[in-house]
């Protein structure tokens, strides 16, 4: 009996996992530059947290949550997104009351949504995101966008599209919703069942309906920009002006509303289209929220956040050849002939203890087998240790790129490695400084 992964879930193994870590580490490094601090919150929370946080009207809560009763008859859910859990942790820890505001958090980990799996859409996927909580200044929205933009550029993305919109404040949205209900009520009989429900729960969500016939109707709907209060209009203009000043190109998208109910004012998404025209959908998205903290039992503070889907980042980078193919190791140890394997083990131990990565071939004592394995393992050097080598205390070190060989007296091994790596680093930094000139 062979077991397979559940539909919509996937294993991330070996070189792929290495590249997931690479992406997460790069995003972490950028988050550190922006002074975000890491928050790790549970994968499982009370269902109510998400019902209140993400919103009863959202598709996520209505249809996509992994919700079940635990053995104590409590309704619990696997997190379908991070923001509600992060805000809960900020409220519980009281840092919103005791620390300087805003609090800047970053997070990374799996989320679960019972969606229809398709290209780039999973039921368990990974998100990396940021939240800035406790400031209403529009420049914090801009900071979030700039973080996303910088991180994507550093990962190597070229054809980025930043889509932006405003949902206005509560008053703007109330009058806009009234206008939408009036408009869609005339058409709703010809629209999909989801839209019929959205009209009752959250008419804004009709705007990003994916049904082609419905989109035709959506095109004639009133636009939020005609219903903005003066404050919301100015706030949005300030955000756009700041992006202009920074030279960040954006595209204003009137239909961008986002799938989570807590958003207000600025909302945005990063999209990517490859050179050959592949559209990968939203690779990252976020926005401002005014009432979420209060809604979850905290003080009246607003915040702004952004979340990347790591699977989507990975897929784009892989398709564009921007990932590592096979990580290198420093040495591969080849025991040859009748050698004492405990001795080989002690050499391996010394090498690793001195900070060099290495693998050894105790499964075979054939040099041909070791050379093949060393090349497949992507080793920089092959260290040959045979009976004669042990007798004389001299190893043979072969550079697998240049094929140069070197005899090394055993006690000098680590010093020689240090020297070789120092020289090659010098050559590399020299090469890259020449490239930069
Ligand atoms: P959201 O939490 O819905 O704002 O989504 C944030 C980001 O997560 C999106 O921009 C996508 O990159 C990613 N994402 C959302 N849903 C999925 C999914 N089902 N599978 C993979 N990635 C997803």
């Amino acid at each position: 009996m062979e077991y397979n992964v559940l539909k919509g879930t996937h294993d991330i193994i070996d070189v792929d996992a290495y590249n997931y870590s690479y992406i997460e580490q790069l995003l972490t490094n950028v988050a550190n530059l922006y002074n975000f601090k890491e928050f790790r919150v549970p994968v499982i929370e009370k269902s109510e947290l998400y019902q209140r946080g993400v919103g009863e009207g959202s598709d996520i809560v209505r249809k996509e949550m992994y919700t079940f009763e635990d053995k104590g008859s409590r309704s619990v859910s696997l997190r379908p997104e991070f923001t509600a859990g992060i805000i809960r942790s900020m409220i519980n820890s009281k840092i919103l009351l005791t620390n300087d505001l805003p609090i800047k958090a970053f997070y990374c980990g799996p989320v679960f949504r019972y969606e229809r799996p398709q290209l780039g859409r999973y039921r368990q996927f990974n998100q990396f995101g940021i939240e800035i909580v406790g400031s209403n200044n529009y420049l914090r929205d801009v900071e979030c966008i700039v973080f996303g933009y910088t991180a994507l550029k550093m990962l190597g993305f070229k054809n980025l599209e930043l889509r932006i919109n405003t949902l206005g404040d509560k008053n703007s949205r109330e009058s806009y919703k009234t206008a939408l209900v009036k408009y869609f009520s005339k058409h709703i009989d010809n629209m999909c069942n989801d839209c019929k429900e959205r009209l009752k729960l959250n008419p804004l969500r009709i705007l990003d309906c994916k049904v082609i016939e419905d989109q035709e109707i959506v095109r004639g709907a009133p636009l939020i920009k005609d219903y903005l209060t003066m404050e919301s209009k100015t706030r949005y203009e300030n955000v756009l002006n700041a992006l202009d000043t920074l030279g960040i190109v954006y595209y204003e998208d009137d239909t961008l509303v986002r799938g989570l109910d807590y958003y207000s004012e600025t909302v945005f998404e990063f999209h990517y289209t490859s050179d050959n025209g592949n559209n990968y959908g939203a690779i990252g998205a976020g926005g401002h929220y005014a009432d979420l903290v209060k809604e979850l039992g905290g003080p009246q503070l607003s915040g702004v956040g952004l979340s990347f889907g790591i699977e989507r980042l990975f897929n784009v980078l892989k398709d564009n050849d921007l990932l590592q193919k096979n990580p290198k190791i420093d040495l591969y140890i080849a025991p040859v002939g009748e050698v004492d394997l405990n001795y080989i083990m002690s050499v391996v131990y010394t090498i690793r203890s001195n900070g060099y990565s290495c693998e050894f071939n105790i499964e075979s004592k054939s040099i041909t087998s070791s050379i093949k394995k060393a090349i497949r393992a992507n080793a920089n050097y092959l260290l040959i240790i045979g009976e004669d080598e042990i007798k004389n205390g001299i190893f043979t070190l072969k550079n697998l790129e240049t094929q140069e060989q070197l005899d090394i007296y055993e006690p000098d091994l680590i010093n020689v490695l240090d020297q070789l790596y120092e020289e090659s680093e010098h050559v590399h930094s020299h090469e890259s400084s020449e490239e930069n000139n």
Side-chain angles (χ1 to χ4, degrees), residues 138-139 141-142 145 162-166 233-253 266-268:
Y138 71 91
L139 279 176
D141 298 10
V142 176
I145 295 171
L162 166 62
R163 296 185 190 171
I164 192 165
N165 192 17
T166 179
K233 197 166 183 293
T234 309
R235 195 178 193 286
Y236 187 48
E237 281 166 3
N238 284 338
V239 169
L240 299 184
N241 282 338
L243 291 173
D244 288 337
T245 308
L246 293 165
I248 295 181
V249 179
Y250 52 83
Y251 159 72
E252 286 183 71
D253 181 351
T266 321
V267 286
F268 55 91

Side-chain angles (χ1 to χ4, degrees), residues 64 66 113-117 121-123 125 312:
E64 296 169 1
Y66 279 87
R113 292 183 194 171
Y114 198 82
E115 292 197 81
R116 184 133 45 91
R121 194 170 289 285
Y122 303 85
R123 288 181 174 169
F125 59 100
R312 301 227 178 134

Side-chain angles (χ1 to χ4, degrees), residues 114-183:
Y114 198 82
E115 292 197 81
R116 184 133 45 91
Q118 49 187 285
L119 190 74
R121 194 170 289 285
Y122 303 85
R123 288 181 174 169
Q124 177 178 343
F125 59 100
N126 293 280
Q127 284 191 334
F128 183 104
I130 52 169
E131 307 291 343
I132 306 179
V133 182
S135 169
N136 192 27
N137 193 308
Y138 71 91
L139 279 176
R140 294 297 178 185
D141 298 10
V142 176
E143 188 182 19
C144 256
I145 295 171
V146 179
F147 166 84
Y149 183 84
T150 311
L152 291 172
K153 287 272 166 198
M154 285 175 86
L155 281 166
F157 282 78
K158 293 208 180 72
N159 306 332
L160 271 182
E161 184 178 281
L162 166 62
R163 296 185 190 171
I164 192 165
N165 192 17
T166 179
L167 301 178
D169 55 17
K170 217 179 198 148
N171 290 339
S172 315
R173 276 196 310 282
E174 281 314 314
S175 42
Y176 183 47
K177 275 184 192 168
T178 310
L180 285 180
V181 170
K182 195 166 161 213
Y183 171 79

Side-chain angles (χ1 to χ4, degrees), residues 60 80-81 113 115 120-127 258-260 262-263 269-270 282-286 307-313:
I60 294 178
E81 59 104 54
R113 292 183 194 171
E115 292 197 81
R121 194 170 289 285
Y122 303 85
R123 288 181 174 169
Q124 177 178 343
F125 59 100
N126 293 280
Q127 284 191 334
R258 311 284 309 114
L260 304 100
Y262 47 67
Y263 287 120
E269 286 184 350
F270 287 100
I283 48 180
S307 189
F308 285 122
I310 308 215
E311 274 72 3
R312 301 227 178 134
L313 296 178

